[in-house]
């Protein structure tokens, strides 16, 4: 009976070699696919933001300033009355 349990704690060499090879292959595979996707999406987002900033800076330099809306005579009269200056023609 003692002879039956003599090899119970030993692993066959072929199984041990396969396990070691699997561990080596797992380490040699490279980047995690999730990490690659994250880097790709982050890179695209960064390029988008930098591109928008560069376009904004270019537009600030090249586009003419906006024209202001003309103020109506009614509003000018009201503003002058608020300041205490009499409107012309009164």
């Amino acid at each position: 009976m003692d002879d039956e349990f003599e090899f119970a704690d030993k692993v066959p060499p072929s199984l041990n070699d396969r396990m070691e090879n699997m561990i080596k292959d797992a380490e040699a595979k490279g980047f995690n696919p999730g990490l690659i996707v994250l880097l790709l999406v982050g890179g695209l987002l960064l390029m988008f933001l930098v591109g928008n900033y560069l376009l904004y800076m270019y537009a600030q330099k090249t586009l003419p300033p906006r024209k202001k809306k003309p103020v109506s005579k009614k509003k000018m009269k009201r503003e002058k009355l608020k300041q205490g200056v009499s409107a012309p023609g009164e």
Side-chain angles (χ1 to χ4, degrees):
M1 284 262 183
D2 293 333
D3 295 335
E4 292 179 27
F5 300 107
E6 189 174 324
F7 299 107
D9 59 338
K10 295 184 180 178
V11 178
S14 62
L15 183 62
N16 197 15
D17 290 340
R18 284 186 204 154
M19 300 265 290
E20 287 178 13
N21 288 340
M22 287 171 60
I23 292 170
K24 287 178 186 175
D25 288 343
E27 291 174 2
K29 277 188 179 179
F31 290 110
N32 184 359
L35 179 64
I36 293 172
V37 171
L38 183 67
L39 289 173
L40 184 67
V41 170
L44 290 173
L45 181 65
L46 186 65
M47 281 177 34
F48 176 76
L49 293 174
V50 169
N52 275 345
Y53 179 73
L54 292 174
L55 283 173
Y56 172 77
M57 295 304 292
Y58 176 74
Q60 290 295 315
K61 291 179 184 176
T62 58
L63 292 177
R66 285 186 180 176
K67 291 182 180 179
K68 293 183 180 179
K69 285 185 178 179
V71 181
S72 69
K73 292 180 182 178
K74 195 174 188 181
K75 282 188 181 180
M76 282 195 340
K77 185 177 178 182
R78 192 177 303 143
E79 287 297 320
K80 286 183 180 179
L81 287 174
K82 282 182 184 177
Q83 292 175 2
V85 180
S86 62
E90 286 189 8

